[in-house]
Amino acid sequence: MNIGEASTASGVSSKMIRYYEQIGLIRAAARTESGYRVYSPTDVETLRFIRRARDLGFSVEEMGTLLALWQDKGRESADVKRVALQHVAEIEKRIHELEGMARTLRHLAGHCHGDDRPDCPILDDLAAVPEPSAKKRPARRPALQNGP
Amino acid sequence: MNIGEASTASGVSSKMIRYYEQIGLIRAAARTESGYRVYSPTDVETLRFIRRARDLGFSVEEMGTLLALWQDKGRESADVKRVALQHVAEIEKRIHELEGMARTLRHLAGHCHGDDRPDCPILDDLAAVPEPSAKKRPARRPALQNGP
DNA sequence: CTTGACCTTCCAATGATTGGAAGCTTTACC
DNA sequence: GGTAAAGCTTCCAATCATTGGAAGGTCAAG
């Protein structure tokens, strides 16, 4: 099985297979006499594992960890679970960031006429000078902004 | 006002200010005799605009569009609103992707003992061979996966 | 035996940002 | 005035995952 077939069978592009080999995520493939890479069904299985992990948003580094655990028959499932849940936490953090952005933008767009007049609260907000820190009583919510 | 002060005042790093100048997002700053960049309050205002747009997840290209609209006193607010809402749509798309990943991972982790035993549904799922296409009746939902 | 599809390596680009090196300028202090 | 530190300049490189292309070798079908 050459790299093109392995690519089709696994859903990982040939380019990425070579890249994963280069950075050491997967072992160097066997070669034919003429230098073509050769893949076994087991190799394809590994590539498919990578494909699925990638689709779940794992980084190359995390995929390396998961691959090692997968191939370690004496692993503790707690280790796998920890990697997965930590990744979930990262994803949720990102979701919250994005939700904050979307909320702010929807709010601003909701107050924008969206017609041929130039007045636009969206631009006004983007251009606004953030208040130094507080006026008399500090506002309970410091306005529409996202955290650090 | 030199680049460091402009950076502090706007919240955009000196590195990024030079970069934005280089790629043409902002006009080249004036210079002192000795070559130092000089920024006016108006320039800082522009940088702050950029900073806020960036915090809302706009790309450099989108920031260019927004900046042009901002500086065009004859703009139509509909144009601004369209850019904002299109960005909201992109953000929401990304949120849905991430939510799909998180849902899958939470589901898998929920079935993982997470102890010292090696059995782990997370790894099992990552290693699973996707069914060729269907068995008898095609499944209504083709399993846990994300689109192309 | 030619053609086209496939493989090889190597280099470059993406997007936004950060880091560092080498060298000049300004500021502060003695 | 001298010196040291901090800050500025440009240029180049790295990040992360992926794609694109060029130049050249190999395999299959016709």
Side-chain angles (χ1 to χ4, degrees), chain A residues 1 11 22 32 39 50-51 59-60 69 74 76 79 90 114 117 121 123:
Chain A
M1 201 176 210
Q22 190 203 317
T32 65
Y39 295 88
I50 288 172
R51 171 74 209 281
S59 68
V60 166
L69 287 168
E76 301 185 6
D79 291 337
E90 285 164 16
R117 285 173 293 176
L123 294 180

Side-chain angles (χ1 to χ4, degrees), chain A residues 48-68:
Chain A
R48 205 152 32 209
F49 184 100
I50 288 172
R51 171 74 209 281
R52 297 197 147 214
R54 197 194 53 182
D55 284 350
L56 288 171
F58 287 102
S59 68
V60 166
E61 191 180 352
E62 289 167 323
M63 289 195 290
T65 304
L66 290 173
L67 267 178

Side-chain angles (χ1 to χ4, degrees), chain B residues 13 15-16 19-20 34 36 54 59-61:
Chain B
S13 72
K15 285 274 188 190
M16 288 312 296
Y19 172 71
Y20 290 146
S34 58
Y36 280 25
R54 197 194 53 183
S59 68
V60 167
E61 192 181 350

Side-chain angles (χ1 to χ4, degrees), chain A residues 13 15-16 19-20 34 36 54 59-61:
Chain A
S13 72
K15 284 274 186 189
M16 289 313 296
Y19 171 70
Y20 290 146
S34 58
Y36 280 26
R54 197 194 53 182
S59 68
V60 166
E61 191 180 352

Side-chain angles (χ1 to χ4, degrees), chain B residues 40-91:
Chain B
S40 68
T42 305
D43 294 333
V44 172
E45 214 179 334
T46 302
L47 289 170
R48 204 152 33 208
F49 184 101
I50 288 171
R51 170 76 210 281
R52 297 196 146 213
R54 197 194 53 183
D55 285 349
L56 288 172
F58 287 101
S59 68
V60 167
E61 192 181 350
E62 288 167 323
M63 289 195 290
T65 303
L66 290 174
L67 267 179
L69 287 168
W70 182 45
Q71 281 150 7
D72 174 9
K73 296 303 175 194
R75 72 195 158 238
E76 303 186 5
S77 61
D79 291 337
V80 183
K81 192 167 183 173
R82 192 169 357 93
V83 173
L85 288 180
Q86 191 190 322
H87 184 53
V88 168
E90 284 164 16
I91 290 174

Side-chain angles (χ1 to χ4, degrees), chain A residues 16-57:
Chain A
M16 289 313 296
I17 296 176
R18 293 192 197 97
Y19 171 70
Y20 290 146
E21 174 180 317
Q22 190 203 317
I23 63 171
L25 179 64
I26 56 182
R27 271 175 299 182
R31 302 282 185 134
T32 65
E33 286 187 357
S34 58
Y36 280 26
R37 286 177 179 80
V38 175
Y39 295 88
S40 68
T42 304
D43 294 331
V44 172
E45 214 178 334
T46 302
L47 289 171
R48 205 152 32 209
F49 184 100
I50 288 172
R51 171 74 209 281
R52 297 197 147 214
R54 197 194 53 182
D55 284 350
L56 288 171

Side-chain angles (χ1 to χ4, degrees), chain B residues 70-138:
Chain B
W70 182 45
Q71 281 150 7
D72 174 9
K73 296 303 175 194
R75 72 195 158 238
E76 303 186 5
S77 61
D79 291 337
V80 183
K81 192 167 183 173
R82 192 169 357 93
V83 173
L85 288 180
Q86 191 190 322
H87 184 53
V88 168
E90 284 164 16
I91 290 174
E92 286 174 342
K93 178 161 167 272
R94 182 79 188 122
I95 288 175
H96 289 142
E97 291 171 359
L98 291 173
E99 277 176 345
M101 297 179 194
R103 201 181 317 120
T104 301
L105 280 168
R106 272 193 308 263
H107 174 79
L108 292 173
H111 289 73
C112 174
H113 300 302
D115 55 18
D116 57 358
R117 285 172 291 175
D119 321 276
C120 180
I122 301 170
L123 295 179
D124 292 346
D125 183 88
L126 287 172
V129 176
E131 35 189 332
S133 67
K135 291 189 175 179
K136 291 175 182 177
R137 280 182 306 164

